Amino acid sequence: IKAEGVTRKLVGVDIDGDKVMVTMTMTTPTCPVGDYLRDAVRDAVRDRFPSLALVDVELTFDPPWTPDKMSDAARAKFGW
């Protein structure tokens, strides 16, 4: 998932019939757009697969995010 050129890592996607659980990590537990991104991922999955009974998105910080998860473009943008 890319937002502002920084890649957020999908840790996992579990599918059980008509239920989907997405697990993703953010750059920091205090990320100011964490709720927005979680909702955006949930809404994108629901829009693409409207017959799903449940779409849940969970944030995790294990493993923690590190700059090596950034795209080359994002690294260049921030001078890394």
Side-chain angles (χ1 to χ4, degrees):
I1 301 167
K2 293 187 178 182
E4 299 297 320
V6 179
T7 302
R8 268 59 172 167
K9 174 121 170 82
L10 283 179
V11 176
V13 177
D14 294 313
I15 301 169
D16 182 12
D18 62 351
K19 299 175 182 90
V20 173
M21 170 62 134
V22 177
T23 307
M24 58 187 274
T25 190
M26 308 297 295
T27 55
T28 172
T30 59
C31 179
V33 295
D35 290 340
Y36 167 79
L37 290 174
R38 182 182 53 224
D39 294 346
V41 168
R42 184 194 62 235
D43 294 346
V45 172
R46 282 185 178 158
D47 288 348
R48 178 67 177 91
F49 304 101
S51 64
L52 291 172
L54 175 71
V55 176
D56 193 17
V57 179
E58 179 180 295
L59 298 180
T60 185
F61 300 97
D62 183 28
W65 183 90
T66 61
D68 67 302
K69 293 179 174 62
M70 295 173 75
S71 67
D72 291 339
R75 272 195 275 275
K77 180 177 180 177
F78 293 105
W80 292 7

